[in-house]
Amino acid sequence: MSKKDKRVIYLKDYVKGADSLEDKIIVGSDIRPGEAVNLAVENAPVQVVTNGFDEFRVVKIKDDVNKFLENPGESLIEVTEDISMRFHQTFFGNSNKSDFLAQVRQFLGNNKFRRVRDDIFLIADELFTNFAKSANDPAKSMKFGIDANDDTVVVFCRDHFGTLNPKDMLANMQRCFDKGVKNAIKQEEGKGAGIGSYLIYTLGVGLAITVDPGKGSLVLVWLPRTAHHEDRIEMNKSLIIIEAKES
Amino acid sequence: MAFEIKVSDLNGKKCFQFSGQIDEEAEFPKMDDMPSHVLVDLKDVKAINSVGIRAWIMWFGGYPQTQFSFLNCPKALVMQMNMVEGFLPVRSEVLSLEVPFFCEDCDKEKDVLFEVGKEISIEAGQVKLNFDKSTICDSGCDPELDVNELKYFRFLLEKASEQAA
């Protein structure tokens, strides 16, 4: 693959207004989390890559979105053979959330996950709760997964109906960055303030939202396995928004 | 585990014992006669999600005149105190919290309760820890604090600054 892929734009070389950033891979060495969200809101779909993440991995994902939807963990990291580092479950619209979370908690009991355990538990809760809200059919299924190696943990949730709206998620996240969570909650009294998306994004170092309308949606977070929570929440984050085009 | 609030008296003050998961199923009751100072024991809180965070902020925000003192804060809530601005009510303090340790010798995690004013003190704008490591694990073990010490207790410094202002 050419290092001069036209889909990749390096922020240090970019002249504002010269090119559209829509559906481009924007690469910058120090893009702060709120800035990445603003770039995504203005140019979605778009992929914002920072903090040393390999932009050509994103090129590969865009070249085969179906493969990413089918094997999201393996598309991002080298998945190990160690089954204690892998948890995949399929759930349905009428699955019990407490049972699901109990299984996640049991898997995370291994002290290899001690620094990410509480955060992954929260991410799992958010992903399951959002799925349950959008799955108005008890037969609709989602696949939840955790894949980990020594360095990175990937947490994802994939459905097969593809109705996720990335723009809504991004707008909610932007509101939390602009006004703070407390004010975002007050402003949206009576409605969901959407702080779940903000939390998921803040807890990791990368968030991918992929939609193939009518076929599937994927929300995926990745976290460095050994970083403390209080360090991770301050790290820059990559933000990958992909909307598959109908072929 | 369903969320519950039990009310009791502790050292002459009203004490609310929160337990369970604070999520979309959690109901925070309307309190008509909220005292001016309340202890909130969080020992049995298992987890909180975004809907729970919203409910927490709205409920505590409904009693701006009450001083809340939080005891036995689990790690999951300490995370929110550092991550979500406004999670701790304006008139509040944290009296004790869980601090994680890890022992390489016996390969075990230990969550230890530290009290503010005892194991934790704030001096000249910094958090100081004073504890006996030998009591945390088995004899001969050398457990290490498993947090970024400068950042895990940051919410205490921010609270101290707010109250000084």
Side-chain angles (χ1 to χ4, degrees):
Chain A
M1 138 198 348
S2 167
K3 288 272 178 185
K4 291 187 180 169
D5 195 307
K6 285 182 187 169
R7 292 173 288 180
V8 180
I9 290 187
Y10 296 91
L11 262 187
K12 63 179 173 60
D13 300 326
Y14 175 67
V15 175
K16 196 166 181 171
D19 293 299
S20 166
L21 292 174
E22 189 177 326
D23 212 13
K24 293 286 193 291
I25 301 169
I26 303 170
V27 186
S29 59
D30 186 26
I31 303 175
R32 295 299 293 147
E35 284 177 64
V37 171
N38 289 341
L39 279 167
V41 166
E42 288 160 19
N43 301 288
V46 75
Q47 301 82 44
V48 182
V49 171
T50 190
N51 227 37
F53 190 73
D54 181 3
E55 64 269 28
F56 293 100
R57 195 180 278 277
V58 180
V59 171
K60 278 178 84 171
I61 287 172
K62 288 181 74 168
D63 282 342
D64 194 346
V65 175
N66 274 334
K67 184 178 173 189
F68 182 50
L69 285 172
E70 290 304 317
N71 296 292
E74 288 162 20
S75 295
L76 275 174
I77 61 171
E78 300 296 323
V79 175
T80 72
E81 299 288 320
D82 183 353
I83 59 168
S84 72
M85 303 288 265
R86 188 168 219 212
F87 174 88
H88 284 197
Q89 286 282 5
T90 297
F91 296 93
F92 298 89
N94 58 0
S95 289
N96 181 282
K97 180 177 158 182
S98 294
D99 291 345
F100 164 71
L101 289 178
Q103 289 181 51
V104 172
R105 195 177 278 289
Q106 186 175 23
F107 171 76
L108 294 173
N110 185 323
N111 69 38
K112 288 183 219 181
F113 294 112
R114 66 183 189 276
R115 291 188 181 169
V116 290
R117 181 182 300 129
D118 288 317
D119 292 341
I120 293 176
F121 190 82
L122 174 52
I123 293 167
D125 188 322
E126 297 298 327
L127 293 177
F128 187 96
T129 303
N130 275 321
F131 164 74
K133 264 198 292 195
S134 58
N136 49 17
D137 178 350
K140 277 189 172 158
S141 68
M142 79 148 181
K143 181 176 175 181
F144 174 84
I146 301 171
D147 286 315
N149 59 22
D150 285 344
D151 300 312
T152 305
V153 183
V154 175
V155 187
F156 66 87
C157 174
R158 189 251 155 100
D159 68 39
H160 296 276
F161 32 100
T163 55
L164 188 67
N165 188 332
K167 290 189 167 79
D168 285 348
M169 285 181 73
L170 290 169
N172 289 334
M173 288 156 67
Q174 190 178 48
R175 190 167 46 244
C176 289
F177 277 106
D178 287 348
K179 299 178 190 303
V181 170
K182 189 172 176 182
N183 288 328
I185 285 172
K186 283 187 178 166
Q187 192 178 27
E188 298 294 310
E189 192 147 355
K191 301 189 238 176
I195 62 174
S197 318
Y198 169 84
L199 290 176
I200 291 174
Y201 179 61
T202 303
L203 291 171
V205 295
L207 172 66
I209 305 168
T210 304
V211 183
D212 193 350
K215 291 185 188 165
S217 310
L218 170 77
V219 177
L220 178 151
V221 187
W222 69 94
L223 310 84
R225 190 180 62 85
T226 58
H228 294 298
H229 161 90
E230 52 275 10
D231 289 321
R232 253 186 295 111
I233 60 177
E234 294 181 345
M235 289 177 181
N236 290 339
K237 291 107 177 37
S238 294
L239 181 54
I240 296 170
I241 314 295
I242 296 176
E243 291 178 30
K245 293 184 176 29
E246 289 186 45
S247 51
Chain B
M1 186 180 161
F3 177 68
E4 209 180 345
I5 300 180
K6 285 188 187 155
V7 184
S8 62
D9 285 313
L10 183 66
N11 300 332
K13 290 192 179 62
K14 209 49 110 187
C15 178
F16 294 164
Q17 289 166 288
F18 286 19
S19 63
Q21 289 194 188
I22 308 177
D23 59 14
E24 58 280 2
E25 305 289 328
E27 284 185 24
F28 283 80
K30 188 172 182 319
M31 309 290 291
D32 290 322
D33 293 311
M34 183 70 90
S36 58
H37 187 181
V38 169
L39 302 174
V40 183
D41 185 348
L42 300 172
K43 177 162 54 77
D44 293 325
V45 170
K46 298 300 175 203
I48 189 167
N49 70 5
S50 62
V51 182
I53 291 169
R54 179 196 168 93
W56 168 289
I57 288 174
M58 298 296 283
W59 189 76
F60 281 102
Y63 307 102
Q65 302 307 316
T66 297
Q67 166 79 13
F68 292 101
S69 299
F70 293 100
L71 311 163
N72 305 316
C73 302
K75 284 180 302 185
L77 292 196
V78 173
M79 275 165 42
Q80 303 310 329
M81 291 171 192
N82 279 318
M83 191 163 65
V84 177
E85 194 185 332
F87 185 78
L88 282 172
V90 173
R91 299 191 69 216
S92 68
E93 59 182 345
V94 170
L95 298 180
S96 56
L97 61 147
E98 262 184 2
V99 180
F101 284 79
F102 183 69
C103 180
E104 299 261 1
D105 300 305
C106 56
D107 201 33
K108 281 188 186 149
E109 304 170 48
K110 303 271 181 184
D111 291 329
V112 183
L113 191 70
F114 277 15
E115 287 182 33
V116 178
K118 193 175 168 194
E119 290 87 6
I120 303 172
S121 59
I122 297 175
E123 296 166 26
Q126 288 189 323
V127 169
K128 302 266 188 223
L129 301 182
N130 183 14
F131 61 97
D132 182 359
K133 214 192 248 195
S134 68
T135 61
I136 291 171
C137 208
D138 299 334
S139 166
C141 285
D142 186 26
E144 291 295 326
L145 190 61
D146 201 17
V147 295
N148 180 324
E149 196 175 324
L150 289 176
K151 295 181 184 176
Y152 187 75
F153 304 100
R154 184 175 53 204
F155 71 96
L156 290 173
L157 288 177
E158 287 171 357
K159 209 28 129 167
S161 297
E162 272 174 31
Q163 282 160 359

